[in-house]
């Protein structure tokens, strides 16, 4: 409706100037625009909104904005004119909450996988404060509605300030149930009267004004059309006057997809791909694989496949040799600089022909070993990569029996030791130690094919590099068809993905009668699959890592041995920690991160419950650091440690069968001494606060770390010492921080203020450097600096320490027994490559679980933990044979 985008923006700015000058009517203030979603659509809507005088508020702060308490209808709107509008961006975590526990942390991946497990909360937490809802989010029928007709009626009945809805999503009867029609550019609005449940096209009357134009995505600004037209007009003459396409200039000839009703030769790959897809659908056996050819292999091609038309050459090679191909996956690069990726199942009736195809594809990809070839030296290089060839595992029954296979989902740090362990099972050394761990009738381990799957092929390829019998594939586990295709080809699946993905994977394994191993806790969604897995004859072995995992196995071995001797467990204590090795604990906190510190900091705010001498003790999350106590492990006197209670220890009494006999059940996280004092002090200062800080709000002038520190501590650091190398200035500044910490009364111990001040300076919070715009809270700032300053260097090792203590009484008067079991493991460096102790102690148990299932040593079916002898006895033997040192000790009182 405007002559240009600039003119449209000018009109909005004019409205903004009127608001800034005259203010909004008191009766409609505060005027709050709620934007759903944070993608491109939402950002575009916000771009226009920001032309008005505005402030953004967090969803949690909406009630404060209204100053509301009690029923919405009783709240008074602003009595004075307000000279700005307010914006609030909400995402799915503000719209739904888990049904089983609304207080549980929101898990986006789990929500997308299982939206049926979530209830809508938008109508309760956000909509009551919204004047206008700008709906910019994607929605499907499987998701809860954003706002139902009934919810709108209830909101308006309680005095909701909602006056308008801009439904850019425009799903008729969808996320906004009462949006039952589309509107046009000429008549963009309709009015929904919630009192009478009627719809009107005039704006005079009660109700909510709704915009629902379904063709908004086609509405380009005039400038865009003009720009495109100016460029295109340069080519129209040549295209319109040419009858023979070969007479066109090369750039236009290459751009012509069709001529005289048929596809041009460069674009012949399009029908070939279509035919491939239709043939696959008509010939697959339910696993997603074609069975037309006796031998198949999976080939991955990446590079400028389509913009440089290399895909034609690859398909020509396959067909010329008498082979077949089926496109399994195809991801197109979105611009001329981006590469494309395709995954093809290539088949042939003769293995020699298949090998010939592979060699030919490899030769055009690497004609001189340089991983690419130049199409035109004056333009750009393009590449064809042939990924690691994955011979079809299911060639015939004999081949399947000879070579079992394991699919590992996830290509993080934990994956590599698991893949290496399984892929080496056929080696002579592995056969030797395997026989020492298993019973006499166990078969020697066969070669195990290992398939590593990741959303990003490059990550999986880096994992399998140098590992025999291994293959890398690209796989999105949310693509259920592709997931089932690969699960169907193996005997056991190991999922090293986030717990939210496990339910989808477990259901696929049950459906295809395949065993599954994870290192994650058994949550409600996984536990609910127990009967289903038993019926299918499938084992889902969970908690097969370090903690949970090795801790279960070490504990159950001691507990069951005591019970066999008719003993009674009167005390169970367990400590576990991932720490820097002593040499790497070279900072004031004596701690380092090999992952994002946000999770570790968050864990330090969890409440804890345990039993001590028959009394139940509860520690609030805010007091966790204050509850830390010194911990000495007799066999490791050199380690000065402390322990923090770890969540709910009582559940382990039930798991281990000792609830009715143990008066003490205590599990704790290990840290070096001094950790809790510093972290507790930082928490009290406010370094872990997650609310948007006024100094870091968008639009504020740039803030430096030093000025932010001054604000938190209410001090003024010395200008001469900030960022200075001067020793006297550094001491003076450090003393000022110490003085303020003491004045605030934040530290219990005398040494704590000094240690905390040293750590604050170690992080760089005293430096006169601008804080990045992405940091909007003190928590963001702290995590950023911790991730930078507390990272391991390439030559530093981490350490895992797990220690159990069990006290056993005997009713017949035998002396009380004190049992200890300790695992101490350091990161390992081989051939210049370091594997962390944490990765080893999580990845190897998971791989051992898979191997035991391959050998059919675990007979129990359903969802289980490694609590039974059939799992933990051979697993512990194999861990020790692998090289983990588990020291066991027993003393009598």
């Amino acid at each position: 409706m405007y002559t240009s985008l600039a003119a449209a923006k000018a009109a909005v700015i004019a409205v903004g100037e009127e608001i800034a000058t005259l203010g909004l009517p008191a009766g409609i203030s505060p005027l709050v625009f709620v934007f759903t979603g944070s993608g491109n659509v939402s950002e575009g809507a916000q771009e226009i909104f920001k032309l008005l005088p505005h402030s953004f508020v967090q969803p949690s702060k909406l009630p404060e904005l209204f100053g509301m308490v009690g029923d919405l209808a009783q709240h008074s709107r602003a009595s004075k004119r307000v000279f700005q509008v307010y914006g609030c961006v909400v995402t799915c975590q503000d719209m739904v909450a888990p049904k089983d526990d609304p207080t549980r942390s929101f898990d986006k991946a789990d929500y997308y996988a299982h939206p049926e497990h979530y209830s809508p909360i938008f109508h309760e937490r956000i909509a009551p404060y919204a004047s206008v809802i700008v709906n910019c989010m994607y929605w499907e029928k499987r998701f809860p509605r954003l706002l139902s007709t009934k919810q709108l009626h209830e909101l308006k009945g309680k005095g909701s300030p909602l006056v308008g809805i801009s439904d850019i999503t425009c799903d008729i009867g969808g996320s906004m149930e009462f949006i039952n029609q589309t509107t046009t550019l000429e008549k963009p609005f309709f009015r929904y009267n919630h009192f009478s449940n009627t719809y009107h096209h005039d704006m005079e009357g009660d109700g909510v004004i709704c915009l629902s134009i379904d063709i908004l995505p086609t509405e380009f600004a005039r400038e865009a059309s003009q720009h495109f037209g100016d460029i295109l007009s340069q080519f129209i003459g040549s295209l319109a006057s040419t009858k023979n396409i070969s007479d066109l200039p090369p750039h236009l000839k290459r751009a012509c997809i069709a001529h005289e009703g048929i596809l041009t030769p460069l674009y012949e790959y399009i029908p070939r791909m279509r035919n491939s897809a239709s043939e696959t659908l008509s010939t697959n056996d339910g696993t997603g694989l074609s069975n037309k050819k006796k031998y198949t292999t999976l080939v991955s091609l990446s590079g400028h496949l389509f913009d440089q038309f290399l895909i034609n050459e690859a398909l020509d090679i396959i067909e010329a040799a008498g082979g077949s191909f089926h496109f399994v996956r195809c991801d197109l690069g979105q611009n001329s600089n981006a590469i494309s990726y395709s995954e093809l199942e290539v088949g042939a009736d003769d293995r020699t022909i298949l090998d010939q195809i592979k060699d030919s594809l490899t030769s055009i990809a690497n004609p001189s070993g340089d991983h690419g070839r130049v199409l035109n030296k004056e333009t750009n290089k393009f590449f064809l990569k042939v990924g690691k060839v994955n011979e079809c595992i299911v060639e015939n029954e004999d081949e399947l029996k000879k070579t079992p296979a394991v699919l590992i989902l996830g290509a993080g740090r934990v994956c590599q030791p698991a893949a290496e362990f399984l892929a080496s099972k056929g080696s002579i050394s592995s056969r030797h130690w395997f026989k020492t761990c298993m019973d006499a009738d166990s078969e020697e381990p066969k070669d195990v094919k290992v398939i590593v799957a990741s959303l990003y092929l490059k990550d999986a390829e880096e994992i399998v590099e140098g590992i025999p019998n291994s293959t890398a594939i690209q796989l999105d586990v949310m693509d259920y068809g592709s997931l089932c295709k690969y699960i169907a080809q193996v005997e056991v699946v190991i999922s090293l993905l986030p717990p939210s993905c496990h339910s989808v994977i477990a259901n696929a394994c049950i459906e295809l009668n395949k065993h599954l191993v994870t290192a994650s806790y058994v949550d409600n969604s996984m536990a609910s699959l127990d009967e289903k897995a038993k019926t299918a004859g499938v084992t889902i072995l969970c908690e097969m890592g370090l903690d949970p995992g090795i801790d279960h196995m070490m504990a159950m071995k001691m507990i069951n041995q005591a019970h066999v001797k008719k003993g009674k467990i009167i005390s169970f204590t367990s400590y576990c920690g991932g720490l820097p090795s002593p040499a790497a604990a070279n900072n004031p906190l004596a701690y380092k991160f090999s992952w994002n510190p946000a999770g570790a900091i968050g864990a330090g705010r969890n409440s804890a419950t345990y039993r001590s001498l028959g009394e139940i003790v509860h520690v609030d999350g805010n007091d966790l650091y204050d509850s830390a106590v010194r911990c000495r492990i007799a066999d490791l006197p050199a380690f000065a440690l402390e322990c923090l209670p770890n969540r709910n220890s009582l559940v382990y009494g039930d798991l281990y069968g000792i609830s009715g006999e143990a008066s003490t059940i205590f599990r704790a996280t290990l840290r070096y001494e001094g950790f809790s004092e510093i972290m507790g002090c930082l928490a009290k200062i406010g370094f872990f606060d997650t609310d948007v800080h006024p100094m870091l709000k968008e639009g504020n002038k740039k803030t430096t770390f030093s000025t932010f520190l001054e604000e938190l501590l209410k001090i003024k650091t010395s200008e001469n010492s900030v960022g200075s190398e001067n020793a006297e200035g550094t001491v003076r500044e450090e003393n000022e921080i110490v003085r303020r910490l003491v004045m605030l009364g934040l530290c219990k111990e005398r040494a704590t203020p000094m240690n905390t001040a040293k750590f604050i300076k170690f992080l760089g919070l005293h430096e006169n450097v601008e804080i990045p715009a992405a940091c909007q809270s003190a928590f963001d700032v702290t995590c950023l600096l911790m991730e930078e300053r507390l990272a391991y260097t390439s030559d530093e090792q981490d350490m895992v320490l797990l220690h159990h203590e069990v006290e056993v009484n005997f009713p017949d008067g035998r002396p009380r027994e004190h049992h200890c079991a300790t695992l101490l493991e350091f990161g390992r460096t081989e051939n210049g490559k370091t594997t962390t102790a944490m990765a080893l102690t999580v990845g190897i148990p998971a791989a051992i679980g898979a191997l035991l299932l391959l050998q059919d040593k675990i007979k129990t079916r359903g969802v289980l933990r490694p609590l039974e002898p059939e799992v933990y006895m051979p697993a512990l033997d194999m861990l020790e044979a692998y090289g983990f040192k588990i020291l066991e000790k027993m003393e009598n009182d």
Side-chain angles (χ1 to χ4, degrees), residues 447-465:
D447 287 335
V448 177
K449 283 184 178 289
V450 178
I451 304 172
V452 176
S454 174
L455 185 60
Y456 302 102
L457 181 64
K458 182 181 177 183
D459 292 345
E461 288 178 335
E462 288 177 355
I463 291 293
V464 303
E465 185 177 356

Side-chain angles (χ1 to χ4, degrees), residues 1 4 89 164 194 230 237 261 267 341 427 493 546 745 756 799 807 847:
M1 301 302 177
S4 66
V89 180
H194 51 279
D230 289 344
Y267 294 89
Y341 170 85
S427 68
V493 177
L546 168 67
T756 304
M799 177 182 84
E807 296 281 349

Side-chain angles (χ1 to χ4, degrees), residues 547 573-577 642-646 649 666-670:
D547 177 4
T573 307
S574 174
Y575 309 107
C576 186
E642 65 181 29
C643 61
L644 295 90
N646 187 359
S649 297
F666 180 69
R667 282 171 47 92
T669 301
L670 289 173

Side-chain angles (χ1 to χ4, degrees), residues 153-229:
H153 284 205
E154 292 173 350
L155 283 168
K156 297 301 290 183
K158 295 178 180 178
S160 163
L162 186 64
V163 293
I165 293 174
S166 179
D167 191 16
I168 303 174
T169 302
C170 203
D171 296 303
I172 301 306
S175 59
M176 297 284 190
E177 185 180 20
F178 45 89
I179 303 285
N180 71 343
Q181 57 192 278
T182 60
T183 56
T184 65
L185 292 170
E186 293 74 22
K187 294 182 178 181
F189 304 104
F190 69 85
R191 176 169 55 89
Y192 173 62
N193 188 324
H194 51 279
F195 294 113
S196 60
N197 195 29
T198 56
Y199 294 83
H200 308 270
H201 290 280
D202 65 274
M203 301 297 104
E204 305 299 325
D206 294 325
V208 178
I209 305 301
C210 303
L211 178 147
S212 56
I213 301 173
D214 60 345
I215 63 166
L216 279 182
T218 68
E219 292 301 306
F220 289 99
R222 186 184 298 265
E223 289 93 334
S225 297
Q226 185 68 48
H227 176 73
F228 182 75

Side-chain angles (χ1 to χ4, degrees), residues 843-857:
I844 298 302
I848 287 174
L851 188 60
L852 292 174
L853 288 167
L854 284 175
Q855 294 287 323
D856 198 26
K857 295 300 176 184

Side-chain angles (χ1 to χ4, degrees), residues 590-609:
Y591 193 74
K592 292 192 173 180
F593 297 94
S594 56
W595 65 95
N596 190 305
I601 295 173
R605 313 295 289 273
N606 291 322
S607 59
T609 304

Side-chain angles (χ1 to χ4, degrees), residues 451-518:
I451 304 172
V452 176
S454 174
L455 185 60
Y456 302 102
L457 181 64
K458 182 181 177 183
D459 292 345
E461 288 178 335
E462 288 177 355
I463 291 293
V464 303
E465 185 177 356
I467 300 178
N469 306 317
S470 63
T471 301
I473 63 168
Q474 185 177 40
L475 175 63
D476 179 357
V477 295
M478 293 306 157
D479 181 347
Y480 196 71
S482 295
L483 177 66
C484 289
K485 168 191 167 181
Y486 287 109
I487 290 178
Q489 300 179 51
V490 302
E491 284 68 47
V492 180
V493 177
I494 299 176
S495 176
L496 301 175
L497 294 171
S500 55
C501 301
H502 292 338
S503 183
V504 172
I505 298 164
N507 274 295
C509 287
I510 292 171
E511 184 179 325
L512 296 165
N513 298 106
K514 307 295 182 180
H515 301 308
L516 171 65
V517 180
T518 83

Side-chain angles (χ1 to χ4, degrees), residues 1-19 48 51-53:
M1 301 302 177
Y2 292 91
T3 57
S4 66
L5 179 61
K9 287 185 173 181
V12 177
I13 291 171
V15 174
E17 290 175 348
E18 186 171 343
I19 293 173
I48 302 301
L51 300 174
L52 303 173

